[in-house]
């Protein structure tokens, strides 16, 4: 969830009341935002203005600046009406060249005429662009915006895509002219990596770069990177040209609407916006922009009441919705229907369920009547079968005096293979594409690495150390939709001065006996019924030579015996790889055979 | 019982009390007396107090004096026999002690020295038989144990005529179980006693109850799994069936698209989600009608939604991820439910994965507790009431609900409870009604509303049991001592005292 910092006193002035933290907390809570931090104490020390850090919903772009937070809270408190946005007649055009189709096909635009900033509103204007860029615009990849001093531009404006070499301008806050190629090189320098350098990847491999130019071919901006020094705005700028370029048409509209709805309040005629005619015939996107008309969504009164467990009149519902900036009027044709007007500040409303939620917030979640409808009587609960099997393993192991551990599922490739002396044949293990550390490279295919790491962390514990885990390992399988599946395994270790092979073997016997499975002498020959035995397996390189065996299981009379796991004395190299100065024996089996 | 033990008891019986064992059992070694007293005391036959006294034995020289007279008397007798004695001959006649005799004889005024360095008897000692040999008399008193002045004792010690000896003397009275026989106290009840019935007559040594027992050899279940079991039992008690959540690898489709998370949503960033390199891509879901519904509801809107209005890409759906929530499983279960829609209750408690930087409260893996409840025409008030009942079962009451945003629920409610220990409202879970854009593409009927809620397993465990660092709870850095000594998990148990 995004966090917005606002000046505490400025917000309280806008809300017409100096709230105590408790009161403000309460207000935020009921409205659905969260007071994260009040910097008053820190600010007083540093002689700064105290701020409030407010966490807002990730879909409420209208709350990304103080103007929007104050507007919404005032409407919620009944202190203000929703602004009525007005368009004047367009006076200029943004002419879109078909060449942009291959790089950044969509654009939007608007003009804020006769605006008057002060230091605070100017800072907020800049900050909102940053917030939009990093949230809705996905770090400028989907949408980028530029704001320009209209009075420096020769109109109309053009949006084109040009070869980088042909784009020449002095970028914002620089003195030297760059061409497109040089600019990429400049921003790819290490010192720019955390700044504009974060965005070069969006266009750098393209043969053409998008560019906004005025009618004299003076570059205004090179989206999504940088504006030009030439059209730079300041606190004193009176007329602002907004350019929006995008790969996502819907979000471009949202962004231009946010900028004009939040900042047209500072124009000489508040909430009035001058639109721009966009000429984009090649892709059918020609229009007058922005479109500030309110959407109307019809919603059933019965539906809202049914979801909220209320029996409100249309007027009562309308009053709740008004607190949330939504204007509802009853339909003249259908008594059950309300027409709800959704302002341009609320693109988060996609479905009538969003209106229903606002009706609930307007009413107050904590005021809703508590329902009594949900009885537990008609439901029969069942555990997941494999979890039931797991619990049998867990109880039996703990009863046999083993201690349950819970290592992580992710581990390094070495831990899952090299350190336990196993080759990766590429057929089993799921590998991660983008781990932040080497600790998480693969999803384990055996419980052993996690158990050994737990032993390593506890190697000063008194001996013997007896640990077990019942958990999932993951194997690849190309036949499946998800290309991989979990398998429940049980693994147990004995660590001591001696390897304790017969102790681990004894534990296995105890577990098998718990699952009604007896040991069969003579490697399964003595009986053709259910049972298990172990036989030496030289391919088990995790174990010391001549000390590793596979575990064979026959589930019932006439069934083929299958290998369900292995046990043995862990190879001294394995112990060394995990820095454990003791001897150990280990057993692991596939728990799913007992399903 | 030894003869001497019996003798002691008999004497005690006759005398009523024994004031001094050294007097009564003069011939018995005091060490043997003590050991017998101790053993009888342990049986409650008697109690005793120790009175330490000092007596004196004569040294060899002292014995000699006692038998033959003191050195000074011997000198007087010699001079009396000889008339006179050259001083230089004293040693040769009487040995080295002659000088001692000479000095004491002078001191007593029994002899005088002539000008010729000869010794003569003084007038006092003209009749040697009348001389009192005080030294010998004192030593006689010593061996008779008669009281003697301390100064004299000190003088005798200095003259090395006597040797002090500590005497362990005891005074003894009858104990609570005094009798003339002796039964041995037992320390333990044995099987022999039970079969023979001998426990009935046996005496048992008293136990010291102010001590701890021996630690039993024991295994242990992991604390987090114990809390998990508490949650499972709460779900079972409310009619919930466990979902098959044993599928860590998910597709972009089920983990995100199905839940109406748009393909550009930040949750799908490499920063937040583990993507999978090998295997490289998933199949698309088998149910093509469903898939096309999902595409439509994202791309252009459907089911009365205006949609997100972007180009939905199958490749994005086919990316494999480690599931970021168990809601991916819930989605698959609800899709299955659409074939036979009916009121349903499902839950899971299982691992989820986030590509987050690891710190004291974040791990790349943790457990999500998730409940899903589908029923006809249920209300938000029903959800609130149900949450109150659910959390009351884990001892959490007084909930407050805060509006929040979640891509796949609307309305969405964060659940807060007042935490007495922390002195503030803490978020304990997230809940909501699944969006129609998630449910209707599956073919679920409109009036079958579905509630979902979730919380992490680790967070309430850490708050409840005051674990500061998640790595001390989950993963290989956990201390085995912590697991071994962890008490039973009882979520309904009030830990604030």
């Amino acid at each position: 969830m995004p966090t917005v910092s606002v000046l505490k006193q400025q917000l309280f002035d806008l809300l017409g009341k100096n709230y105590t933290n408790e009161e403000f907390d309460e207000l935020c809570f009921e409205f659905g935002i969260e007071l994260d931090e009040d910097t008053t104490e820190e600010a007083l020390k540093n002689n700064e203005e105290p701020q409030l850090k407010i966490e807002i919903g990730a879909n409420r772009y209208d709350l990304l600046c103080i103007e929007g937070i104050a507007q919404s809270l005032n409407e919620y408190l009944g202190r203000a009406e929703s602004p009525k946005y007005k368009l004047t007649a367009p006076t200029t055009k943004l002419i879109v060249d078909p060449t942009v189709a291959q790089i950044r096909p969509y654009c939007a635009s608007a003009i804020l005429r006769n605006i008057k900033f002060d230091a605070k509103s100017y800072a907020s204007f800049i900050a909102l662009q940053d917030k939009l860029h990093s949230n809705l615009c996905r770090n400028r990849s989907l949408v980028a915006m530029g704001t320009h001093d209209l009075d420096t531009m020769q109109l109309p404006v053009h949006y084109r895509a040009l070869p980088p070499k042909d784009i020449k301008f002095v970028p914002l806050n620089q003195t030297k002219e760059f061409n497109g190629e040089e600019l990429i090189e400049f921003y790819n320098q290490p010192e720019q990596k955390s700044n504009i350098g974060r965005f070069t990847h969006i266009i750098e491999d393209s043969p053409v770069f998008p560019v906004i130019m005025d009618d004299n071919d003076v570059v205004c901006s090179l989206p999504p990177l940088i504006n030009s020094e030439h059209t730079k705005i300041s606190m004193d700028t009176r007329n602002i040209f907004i350019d929006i370029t995008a790969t996502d048409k819907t979000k471009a509209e949202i962004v231009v609407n946010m900028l004009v709805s939040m900042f047209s309040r500072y124009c000489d005629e508040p909430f009035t916006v001058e639109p721009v005619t966009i000429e984009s015939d090649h892709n059918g996107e020609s229009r007058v922009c922005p479109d500030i008309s309110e959407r109307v969504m019809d919603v059933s009164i019965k539906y809202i009441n049914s979801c909220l467990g209320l029996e409100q009149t249309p007027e009562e519902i309308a009053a709740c919705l008004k607190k949330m900036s939504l204007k509802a009027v009853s339909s003249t044709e259908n008594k059950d229907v309300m027409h709800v007007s959704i302002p341009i500040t609320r693109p988060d409303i996609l479905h009538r369920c969003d209106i229903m939620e606002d009706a609930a917030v307007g009413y107050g979640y904590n005021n809703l009547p508590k329902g009594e409808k949900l009885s537990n009587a008609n439901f029969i609960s069942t555990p997941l079968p494999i979890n039931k099997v797991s619990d049998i393993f867990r109880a039996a192991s703990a009863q046999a005096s083993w201690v349950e551990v819970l290592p992580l599922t992710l581990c390094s490739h070495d831990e899952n293979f090299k350190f336990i002396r196993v080759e990766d044949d590429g057929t089993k293990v799921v590998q991660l594409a983008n781990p932040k550390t080497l600790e998480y490279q693969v999803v384990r295919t055996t419980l052993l690495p996690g158990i050994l790491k737990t032993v390593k962390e506890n190697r000063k514990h008194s001996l013997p150390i007896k640990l077990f885990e019942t958990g999932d390992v993951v194997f690849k399988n190309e036949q499946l939709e998800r290309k991989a599946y979990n398998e429940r395994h049980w693994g147990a270790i004995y660590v001591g001065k001696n390897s304790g092979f017969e102790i681990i073997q004894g534990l296995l016997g105890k577990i098998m006996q718990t699952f009604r499975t007896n040991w069969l002498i003579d490697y399964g020959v003595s009986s053709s019924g259910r049972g298990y035995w172990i036989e030496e397996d030289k391919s088990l390189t995790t174990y010391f030579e001549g000390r590793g065996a596979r575990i064979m299981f026959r589930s019932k009379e006439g069934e083929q015996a299958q290998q369900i796991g292995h046990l043995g004395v862990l190879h001294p190299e394995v112990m060394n790889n995990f820095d454990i100065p003791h001897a150990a024996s280990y057993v692991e089996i596939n728990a799913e055979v007992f399903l | 019982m030894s003869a001497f033990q019996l003798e002691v008891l008999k004497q005690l019986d006759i005398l009523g009390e024994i004031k001094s064992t050294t007097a009564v059992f003069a011939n018995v070694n005091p060490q043997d007396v003590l050991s017998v007293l101790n053993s009888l005391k342990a049986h409650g036959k008697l109690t005793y107090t120790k009175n330490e006294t000092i007596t004196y034995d004569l040294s060899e020289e002292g014995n000699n004096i006692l038998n033959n007279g003191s050195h000074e008397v011997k000198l007087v007798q010699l001079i009396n026999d000889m008339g006179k004695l050259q001083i230089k001959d004293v040693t040769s006649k009487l040995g080295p002690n002659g000088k001692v005799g000479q000095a004491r004889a002078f001191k007593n005024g029994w002899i005088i020295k002539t000008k010729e360095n000869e010794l003569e008897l003084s007038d006092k000692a003209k009749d040697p038989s009348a001389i009192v040999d005080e030294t010998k008399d004192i030593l006689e008193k010593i061996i008779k144990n008669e009281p003697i002045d301390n100064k004299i004792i000190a003088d005798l010690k200095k003259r090395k005529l006597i040797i002090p000896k500590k005497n362990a003397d005891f005074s003894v009275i009858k104990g609570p179980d005094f009798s003339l026989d002796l039964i041995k106290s037992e320390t333990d009840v044995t099987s022999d006693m039970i079969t023979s019935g001998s426990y009935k007559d046996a005496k048992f040594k008293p136990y010291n109850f102010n001590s701890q027992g021996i630690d039993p050899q024991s295994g242990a279940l992991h604390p987090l799994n114990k809390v998990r079991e508490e949650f499972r039992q709460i779900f079972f008690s409310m009619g919930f069936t466990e979902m098959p959540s044993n599928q860590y690898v998910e597709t972009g489709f089920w983990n995100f698209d199905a839940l109406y998370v748009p393909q550009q949503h930040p949750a799908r960033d490499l920063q937040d989600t583990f993507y999978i390199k090998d295997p490289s891509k998933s199949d698309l879901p088998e149910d093509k009608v469903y898939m096309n519904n999902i595409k439509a509801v994202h791309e252009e809107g459907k089911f009365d939604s205006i949609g997100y209005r972007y180009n939905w890409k199958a490749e994005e759906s086919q990316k494999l991820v480690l599931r970021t929530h168990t809601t991916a499983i819930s989605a698959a279960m609800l899709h299955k439910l659409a074939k036979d829609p009916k009121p349903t209750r499902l839950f899971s408690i299982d691992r989820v994965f986030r590509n987050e930087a690891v710190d004291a409260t974040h791990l790349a893996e943790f457990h999500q507790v998730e409940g899903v409840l589908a029923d006809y025409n249920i209300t938000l008030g029903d959800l609130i009431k149900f949450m109150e009942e659910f959390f009351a079962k884990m001892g959490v009451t007084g909930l407050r609900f805060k509006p929040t945003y979640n891509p796949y629920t609307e309305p969405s409610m964060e659940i807060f409870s007042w935490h007495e220990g922390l002195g503030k409202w803490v978020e304990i879970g997230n809940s909501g009604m699944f969006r129609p854009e998630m449910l209707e593409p599956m073919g679920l009927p409109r009036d079958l509303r579905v509630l979902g809620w979730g919380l992490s397993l680790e967070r309430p465990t850490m708050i409840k049991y005051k674990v500061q660092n998640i790595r001390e709870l989950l993963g290989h850095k956990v201390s085995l001592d912590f697991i071994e000594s962890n008490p039973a998990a009882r979520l309904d148990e009030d830990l604030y005292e």
Side-chain angles (χ1 to χ4, degrees), chain B residues 194-208:
Chain B
I194 289 163
T195 50
S196 69
S198 69
Y199 69 90
K200 289 175 195 159
D201 303 320
K203 286 272 177 185
F204 289 89
K205 275 191 179 170
Y207 268 172
N208 175 13

Side-chain angles (χ1 to χ4, degrees), chain B residues 209-445:
Chain B
F209 288 104
N210 184 24
S211 64
Q212 286 198 297
I214 300 162
D215 274 339
Q217 202 200 20
S218 58
L221 296 175
H222 194 283
L224 200 60
N225 272 345
K226 292 194 283 193
V227 176
R228 174 175 168 271
E229 187 55 26
E230 284 284 290
F231 274 107
R232 284 179 90 213
Q233 292 307 327
I234 291 173
F235 278 115
F236 287 145
S237 75
M238 299 178 93
F240 284 75
T241 285
E242 205 165 23
M243 287 189 263
S245 55
N246 48 341
Q247 178 70 42
Y248 295 160
V249 174
E250 269 300 344
T251 67
F253 183 87
W254 288 107
N255 197 72
F256 296 121
D257 294 343
L259 302 176
Y260 206 47
V261 179
Q263 295 189 329
Q264 308 82 6
H265 193 277
R268 299 176 83 143
D269 265 8
L270 293 170
Q271 290 303 310
D272 296 300
T273 299
F274 284 114
Y275 283 86
I276 286 166
K277 181 166 68 183
D278 181 19
S280 55
K281 91 183 209 205
S282 76
D283 296 339
L284 286 166
E286 268 173 46
D287 182 347
K288 296 298 178 235
V289 175
Y290 173 47
M291 194 193 81
N292 287 328
N293 279 341
I294 287 291
K295 176 178 158 73
V297 80
H298 278 248
E299 205 163 65
E300 68 230 20
K302 202 172 175 179
F303 311 108
D304 296 333
S305 174
I306 63 169
Y308 289 121
R309 291 151 288 145
Y310 69 97
N311 283 328
W312 182 87
K313 295 191 182 106
E315 305 94 88
E316 205 60 43
S317 287
Q318 285 180 275
K319 285 185 177 167
L320 285 162
V321 300
L322 287 180
R323 68 171 179 217
T324 58
H325 43 206
T326 48
T327 320
I329 302 294
S330 306
M333 295 302 288
L334 288 169
H335 175 249
K336 210 180 267 179
L337 180 68
K339 294 199 175 65
D340 178 19
K342 58 185 172 205
T344 299
R345 295 182 178 191
L346 300 167
F347 82 98
S348 65
I349 306 169
D350 213 331
R351 292 226 183 166
V352 296
F353 303 84
R354 303 275 168 90
N355 196 7
E356 295 194 59
V358 173
D359 63 28
T361 53
H362 296 89
L363 269 182
E365 302 178 28
F366 60 96
H367 293 79
Q368 185 184 342
V369 179
E370 172 158 346
V372 172
L373 186 157
D375 213 330
Y376 290 103
N377 292 316
I378 38 182
T379 71
L380 205 49
D382 293 328
L383 170 60
I384 287 174
K385 176 74 179 170
F386 196 79
M387 286 299 97
E388 287 182 342
E389 279 175 17
F390 177 82
F391 282 101
K393 282 178 182 271
M394 52 184 278
V396 177
T397 53
L399 304 185
R400 284 213 300 165
F401 297 86
K402 174 182 164 292
T404 189
Y405 168 68
N406 222 326
Y408 45 89
T409 56
E410 191 84 3
S412 307
M413 307 195 292
E414 274 174 351
I415 305 164
F416 281 72
S417 84
W418 178 256
H419 191 279
E420 205 54 57
L422 300 173
K424 63 175 184 183
W425 289 92
V426 293
E427 192 203 326
I428 53 170
N430 211 330
S431 66
M433 285 184 169
F434 286 121
R435 290 189 73 98
E437 291 98 325
M438 170 178 164
L439 302 177
E440 290 186 33
M442 297 172 174
L444 284 166

Side-chain angles (χ1 to χ4, degrees), chain A residues 250-510:
Chain A
T250 309
K251 293 191 172 61
E253 294 301 317
I254 293 173
V255 168
V256 73
N257 284 347
M258 285 302 145
L259 287 177
V260 299
S261 61
M262 293 299 127
F263 287 91
S264 56
R265 72 188 62 229
Y266 298 119
C267 294
D268 285 354
E269 211 175 316
F271 304 112
T272 300
V273 180
E274 180 178 319
V276 174
T277 303
I278 294 183
E279 271 189 24
S280 187
D281 288 344
H282 69 280
N283 61 354
E285 292 293 326
S286 293
R287 67 201 191 276
V288 174
C289 182
D291 175 4
I292 59 159
S293 57
E294 295 188 335
R295 282 186 288 143
V296 176
M297 200 178 265
D298 283 356
V299 60
S300 150
I301 291 162
K302 234 184 268 166
Y303 163 73
I304 290 185
N305 276 332
S306 151
C307 287
L308 271 48
L310 293 170
E311 286 179 16
Q312 285 190 294
T313 63
E315 293 71 31
E316 285 169 330
I317 293 174
C320 290
L321 291 175
K322 185 168 185 284
K323 292 169 80 175
M324 306 305 290
S325 315
L326 302 179
K327 194 172 71 202
V329 291
S330 294
S331 161
T332 50
E333 287 126 48
N334 185 341
K335 270 168 69 179
D336 183 46
V337 169
M338 294 176 97
H339 307 301
V340 179
S341 304
I342 301 155
I344 54 170
T345 49
R346 296 297 308 276
D348 57 293
I349 296 196
L350 306 175
H351 188 278
R352 59 174 174 273
C353 70
D354 297 299
I355 295 171
M356 178 263 287
E357 183 190 58
D358 275 4
V361 176
Y363 189 88
Y365 278 3
N366 297 295
N367 302 326
L368 287 170
K370 286 168 189 170
E372 299 283 353
K373 196 152 72 193
L374 296 172
S375 151
N376 300 336
N378 294 328
F379 296 90
I380 294 164
S381 51
T382 352
L384 186 66
I386 189 62
N387 287 354
K388 193 171 174 178
V389 169
S390 284
D391 286 347
I392 296 169
F393 271 102
R394 295 174 56 237
S397 304
Q399 283 157 4
S401 80
W402 261 255
V403 171
E404 185 178 34
V405 294
L406 221 45
L408 301 183
T409 312
L410 305 179
C411 60
S412 77
H413 189 275
D414 276 354
E415 285 163 353
N416 199 66
F417 292 104
K418 192 173 149 197
F419 289 1
I420 58 169
R421 295 168 39 90
V422 172
E423 292 277 332
D424 177 9
D425 63 5
T427 62
K428 289 194 183 72
V429 77
V430 170
Q431 299 204 49
L432 305 187
N434 59 328
K436 287 199 170 89
T437 74
L438 293 180
E439 260 185 289
Y440 312 127
Q441 292 174 310
V442 299
V443 187
R444 65 184 180 185
T445 57
T446 158
L447 304 179
L448 181 57
I451 289 178
L452 284 174
K453 284 199 279 184
T454 311
V455 173
K456 175 188 171 178
E457 294 293 331
N458 287 281
R459 58 188 185 272
K460 301 223 166 87
H461 188 275
S462 61
L463 295 178
I465 295 171
K466 298 186 287 183
L467 309 181
F468 80 95
E469 183 192 1
T470 313
D472 282 353
V473 301
V474 173
F475 297 115
K476 291 202 289 187
N477 183 343
E478 283 296 329
Q479 306 307 311
L480 303 170
E481 179 185 334
R482 294 163 177 85
K483 304 296 174 196
Y485 65 99
N486 286 23
E487 190 172 278
R488 187 68 46 90
H489 278 203
W490 169 81
I493 198 168
Y494 174 93
V495 182
K497 289 281 165 214
N498 303 99
S499 74
F501 178 81
E502 55 301 320
I503 295 170
I504 271 299
Q505 201 183 0
L507 177 66
L508 173 66
K510 183 78 213 161

Side-chain angles (χ1 to χ4, degrees), chain A residues 117-125 235:
Chain A
F117 284 122
D118 60 17
K120 281 176 185 158
S121 57
Y122 183 72
S124 177
F125 186 57
M235 211 169 87

Side-chain angles (χ1 to χ4, degrees), chain A residues 26-45:
Chain A
E26 185 69 23
L27 172 66
C28 289
F29 192 96
E30 293 298 328
F31 181 69
I33 56 181
E34 201 170 327
L35 176 60
D36 229 23
E37 198 188 334
D38 175 358
T39 69
T40 302
E41 231 167 87
E42 193 62 22
L44 288 179
K45 272 186 227 156

Side-chain angles (χ1 to χ4, degrees), chain A residues 67-109:
Chain A
E67 287 78 7
I69 292 174
Q71 180 70 40
S72 292
L73 286 178
N74 274 328
E75 288 181 46
Y76 176 74
L77 293 166
R79 297 185 68 247
E81 296 285 321
S82 284
K84 297 267 173 298
Y85 299 101
K86 284 195 295 278
L87 292 184
T88 58
T91 61
T92 188
K93 291 191 278 194
L94 175 61
I95 300 161
V96 184
D97 192 271
T99 50
V100 299
Q102 56 182 309
I103 173 77
R104 234 175 148 74
Y106 304 107
C107 65
S109 183

